[in-house]
Amino acid sequence: MDTLTISLEKVDFLPPNRVTDDTSVLTLKNLVFEPLLKWENGFVRPALFESWSHSADGREWRFVIRDGAAFHDGKPCVADDILQFVSGILDAVDTFGMKWSYARYLEHARITADDDHVVRVENPEPIADILDIFSEFYICRLDSSGSPVFGTGRYRVTEFEAGKRAVLERTDGRSGPARIVAVPERHANARYDALKRGVVDAVLNLERIDERVAFDEDFAWGRAVNTLSVMYYLNCQQGIFRSPEARLAVNHAVDTAVIADEIFHGLAVPSSTIVSPFHLGAARAQLSPIGYDPAKARELLEGVDASETIRLRTPTFMPERAPEVSRFVAAALEAVGLKVEIETELDRPEYARQIGRKEMGDMAIFDSSPHSTYRILNDKISSKTKAVWWQGYYDPQTEALIEAANQAVDDEARDVAYARCLTRLHQNPPWLYLVHPVDVFAARRGIGGLSIDHKGTLNIR
């Protein structure tokens, strides 16, 4: 195929010091740039770093750059490029103006170059989690106009106007279309209509159309459960959810299968712990969702002071369908004897900042997006770090398990350690677990080599 035209929710290449979980942006990033390491169902695989090794105690790591790696303007990719990129990330902020946690993860690390081809990371404590961190870093450089479009990936950017159009050309003779044209369309229904009219060849994020997807046989379809978790933070510092019994009770009170089927139109699966089934430790833990059992919820609440009205907070989007989910959850909690009041925040960036400042009411719907089990435990669960998204959860048993996981080095040891963490957090939940959305794409029949991964990224072979 000479040219593949794809319709995405947005078309953009972000500055080098910006990390994102946006599936549209990630789709373009994966074509033009390479991550230092490739994430694959919890584990990492070679990418721009073709190999790595570590000391026996996990305090020192050595990463080797892929032989022949070069940016699209011909400049060889060397260790100094990676050091500069990492330095920029450590000082960066996210979409909401909040500082990324990477600087905290690497606060005591020393990152240096042995030579042009080798990056070394040294840390006072074991730091196997550097693998997770590096899987989120896509190396890029600015062109002469200041656009972040030079990568080392198999497609180069030949045309780009932010928010309007991007044209990519294949850099080698490997399979895949010679040319990819990406056009933006904010609304899922309009993206689908463009496919029906033959204006585009493939469209992403059709799970967001207004009605239930019919999966028309005129098109080829792909779908994958996303690693993202739609959940409610529970205020564990004050109010009813200081009680483990109350936190477990609300998990029994809500029928998440109905949320998945009716509100998400069948394009979601219920959650069982703080991460998706594809995070490190999840497959080994083999957990099932906490069962819908209103009688059990009432029993757990018998010894809890439930006299105060629960303040349930929600934005209008991010996660998708947040208001509808919040109305459903409020009704479910009221059905087991709780009093609930919904508060809606119209300013989504401010909502995120409020949650970061612990101004969350009693419960607040949110989405947890990192594909790293380490990051979720560190940023959101650990009472030792008490990081930006931590909401007061304190459980000595969980903390001991997190500490053990942080000391694990090899893949097998980390997997086992994280499985124990996830199992404990299933037994003593810090959140109200809801669902993992399913991402959907469609394409014209006859176009081969398209797939979607668990991060929602459209992959083109």
Side-chain angles (χ1 to χ4, degrees):
M1 185 178 192
D2 289 335
T3 300
L4 174 73
T5 301
I6 59 176
S7 179
L8 305 172
E9 194 170 63
K10 63 183 68 168
V11 170
D12 205 357
F13 291 99
L14 300 180
N17 63 355
R18 284 281 298 279
V19 178
T20 183
D21 299 298
D22 185 285
T23 53
S24 295
V25 177
L26 281 176
T27 290
L28 294 177
K29 285 178 70 170
N30 272 282
L31 293 167
V32 177
F33 313 117
E34 290 180 281
L36 292 177
L37 295 168
K38 182 181 179 181
W39 180 90
E40 190 175 281
N41 293 352
F43 298 96
V44 298
R45 304 290 182 246
L48 186 55
F49 286 147
E50 66 178 2
S51 64
W52 58 94
S53 58
H54 60 78
S55 60
D57 59 8
R59 290 176 169 82
E60 185 175 314
W61 292 73
R62 186 176 182 272
F63 297 90
V64 181
I65 299 172
R66 176 172 56 81
D67 187 42
F71 292 100
H72 294 141
D73 61 349
K75 180 193 176 303
C77 178
V78 297
D80 190 56
D81 294 309
I82 293 170
L83 297 185
Q84 290 183 38
F85 182 94
V86 171
S87 178
I89 287 284
L90 297 186
D91 292 330
V93 296
D94 65 13
T95 307
F96 306 120
M98 302 172 72
K99 192 171 182 61
W100 286 107
S101 299
Y102 301 115
R104 179 166 52 79
Y105 303 154
L106 301 176
E107 180 180 7
H108 303 295
R110 181 172 177 260
I111 305 176
T112 57
D114 279 6
D115 55 38
D116 280 352
H117 304 288
V118 177
V119 172
R120 185 179 297 273
V121 179
E122 300 166 280
N123 200 63
E125 299 295 328
I127 191 169
D129 309 300
I130 193 66
L131 301 175
D132 289 17
I133 296 166
F134 277 175
S135 73
E136 299 185 10
F137 292 178
Y138 287 73
I139 303 303
C140 71
R141 289 176 45 246
L142 305 179
D143 65 10
S144 58
S145 68
S147 294
V149 295
F150 285 150
T152 62
R154 63 193 179 107
Y155 282 87
R156 66 164 60 91
V157 181
T158 58
E159 297 178 37
F160 172 55
E161 188 173 359
K164 293 187 177 181
R165 173 182 166 94
V167 179
L168 317 180
E169 290 186 357
R170 199 176 62 215
T171 60
D172 56 35
R174 287 181 291 177
S175 62
R179 188 169 179 262
I180 297 173
V181 178
V183 294
E185 174 50 64
R186 179 180 175 186
H187 300 287
N189 287 70
R191 290 197 295 278
Y192 191 23
D193 183 61
L195 179 67
K196 291 176 179 177
R197 290 185 289 110
V199 176
V200 300
D201 300 311
V203 292
L204 197 58
N205 292 123
L206 289 188
E207 73 281 355
R208 296 174 185 171
I209 65 175
D210 296 331
E211 61 277 2
R212 189 176 287 260
V213 179
F215 295 100
D216 188 331
E217 292 184 358
D218 288 341
F219 305 107
W221 296 84
R223 68 184 95 180
V225 177
N226 199 292
T227 55
L228 179 141
S229 297
V230 179
M231 35 64 88
Y232 281 87
Y233 281 123
L234 301 178
N235 189 338
C236 302
Q237 298 189 86
Q238 57 187 20
I240 187 173
F241 296 121
R242 288 177 298 180
S243 162
E245 290 77 16
R247 297 196 300 270
L248 186 57
V250 295
N251 275 277
H252 281 300
V254 177
D255 192 339
T256 55
V258 172
I259 291 176
D261 183 57
E262 296 186 1
I263 298 179
F264 284 85
H265 299 157
L267 295 174
V269 298
S271 306
S272 59
T273 186
I274 61 166
V275 300
S276 78
F278 312 104
H279 281 73
L280 189 59
R284 186 179 294 269
Q286 295 185 317
L287 301 171
S288 298
I290 296 172
Y292 173 57
D293 189 342
K296 180 66 174 178
R298 293 188 192 95
E299 178 185 334
L300 286 165
L301 290 170
E302 285 178 0
V304 177
D305 180 2
S307 59
E308 297 296 322
T309 298
I310 291 173
R311 291 175 57 215
L312 184 156
R313 304 199 63 230
T314 181
T316 57
F317 67 99
M318 286 183 68
E320 299 294 320
R321 301 177 172 87
E324 298 95 317
V325 172
S326 291
R327 288 192 292 270
F328 181 93
V329 168
L333 300 190
E334 288 175 340
V336 298
L338 298 172
K339 294 176 288 186
V340 183
E341 179 181 86
I342 297 175
E343 296 180 1
T344 302
E345 173 58 63
L346 302 180
D347 185 334
R348 182 58 178 80
E350 176 57 21
Y351 181 77
R353 289 188 285 267
Q354 289 167 358
I355 304 304
R357 296 193 300 262
K358 322 304 180 195
E359 299 169 7
M360 59 163 294
D362 294 297
M363 55 192 302
I365 192 170
F366 219 70
D367 49 23
S368 177
S369 59
H371 58 246
S372 162
T373 304
Y374 165 76
R375 283 196 58 197
I376 295 173
L377 289 168
N378 193 291
D379 285 358
K380 307 179 183 189
I381 304 300
S382 174
S383 56
K384 179 179 179 180
T385 56
K386 296 182 179 178
V388 62
W389 304 118
W390 177 74
Q391 301 297 334
Y393 180 76
Y394 177 72
D395 176 35
Q397 185 174 337
T398 296
E399 203 61 47
L401 292 171
I402 294 174
E403 180 67 22
N406 290 344
Q407 298 295 314
V409 178
D410 294 321
D411 283 352
E412 174 78 6
R414 294 176 72 219
D415 193 34
V416 169
Y418 283 141
R420 291 169 178 157
C421 293
L422 301 181
T423 299
R424 176 58 183 170
L425 292 164
H426 173 85
Q427 299 163 347
N428 184 12
W431 305 341
L432 169 53
Y433 303 133
L434 294 180
V435 298
H436 308 292
V438 173
D439 291 319
V440 176
F441 81 88
R444 287 194 300 106
R445 287 205 168 273
I447 298 177
L450 302 184
S451 63
I452 192 170
D453 63 25
H454 294 297
K455 293 187 290 182
T457 304
L458 183 66
N459 294 309
I460 303 170
R461 284 203 304 274

